[in-house]
Amino acid sequence: MASKIEAAQIASSAGVDLMIVSGLHDHPLERLARGGCGTLFVADGATRAKKAWLAGRLTVKGSVYVDAGAVKALKGGASLLPAGAKSIDGKFARGDVLSIVGPDGIAIARGLSEYDSADAVRIAGKRSDALPAILGYAPARSFDPPRPYGHVVKKAVLAITGGTGFVGTTLIRLAQSQGHRIPR
């Protein structure tokens, strides 16, 4: 079942609806078309190719555990700032894929790290204006390294993968499609 949910998350992040039907019967798609049952996962909307690529099958090298405020900001389209990162796990280099995990322990996003794991650990929980003193160099104003960036993961290279929002929305839609009333 976990692989089916993972497939649904990948499809949803790419803006594609997904129907899962039983393969235990002959001609499952024909059976579905005649009124058979299955589970429909409805995509929340189209996603740009880069975001779908990030949310998909790339190997995650580390995790950033964030607070509720960071979750809200990320879902609103913001970058992940060091202040929202509560802890770092794994060994990774700048540009590696990170899983961003909410306070409930559920991964909500993926993105490319602007720091290696050693520097990410040093700046987690700190304000962006404190980075020069912590890392020993001034904030980036150009592409000339080595200068700290004001964010752990930029919004341009961050994809919301769902987390509780995806699962909750999907389960509500599933229950409603089966005739269950969901209290608000």
Side-chain angles (χ1 to χ4, degrees):
M1 184 61 167
S3 62
K4 293 175 187 174
I5 298 295
E6 183 180 357
Q9 287 177 314
I10 292 167
S12 179
S13 68
V16 176
D17 295 342
L18 175 75
M19 173 70 80
I20 297 176
V21 297
S22 174
L24 298 176
H25 306 282
D26 290 337
H27 311 287
L29 296 178
E30 182 180 313
R31 185 170 184 243
L32 176 67
R34 288 192 320 250
C37 63
T39 304
L40 175 64
F41 294 87
V42 180
D44 290 330
T47 302
R48 292 189 359 231
K50 185 183 350 178
K51 302 272 183 167
W53 170 73
L54 282 169
R57 290 286 187 193
L58 294 176
T59 302
V60 173
K61 299 289 187 170
S63 297
V64 180
Y65 295 86
V66 299
D67 61 22
V71 170
K72 183 178 179 182
L74 293 173
K75 287 185 175 183
S79 296
L80 175 59
L81 300 177
K86 295 305 165 195
S87 66
I88 308 293
D89 186 40
K91 186 174 168 93
F92 52 88
R94 181 174 185 257
D96 282 344
V97 177
L98 300 178
S99 178
I100 300 171
V101 182
D104 57 2
I106 297 175
I108 59 133
R110 284 186 176 185
L112 303 181
S113 178
E114 290 294 327
Y115 293 95
D116 64 28
S117 53
D119 283 345
V121 166
R122 291 172 61 199
I123 65 170
K126 306 294 193 275
R127 291 176 45 92
S128 295
D129 59 5
L131 301 187
I134 295 168
L135 298 173
Y137 44 92
R141 295 284 185 242
S142 70
F143 293 106
D144 298 330
R147 296 180 179 174
Y149 296 87
H151 38 260
V152 178
V153 177
K154 291 190 294 190
K155 64 182 175 183
V157 291
L158 182 138
I160 300 298
T161 56
T164 54
F166 172 84
V167 173
T169 301
T170 302
L171 291 177
I172 288 170
R173 286 180 182 155
L174 175 60
Q176 288 171 334
S177 72
Q178 295 177 349
H180 298 284
R181 292 185 55 215
I182 307 298
R184 296 260 175 211

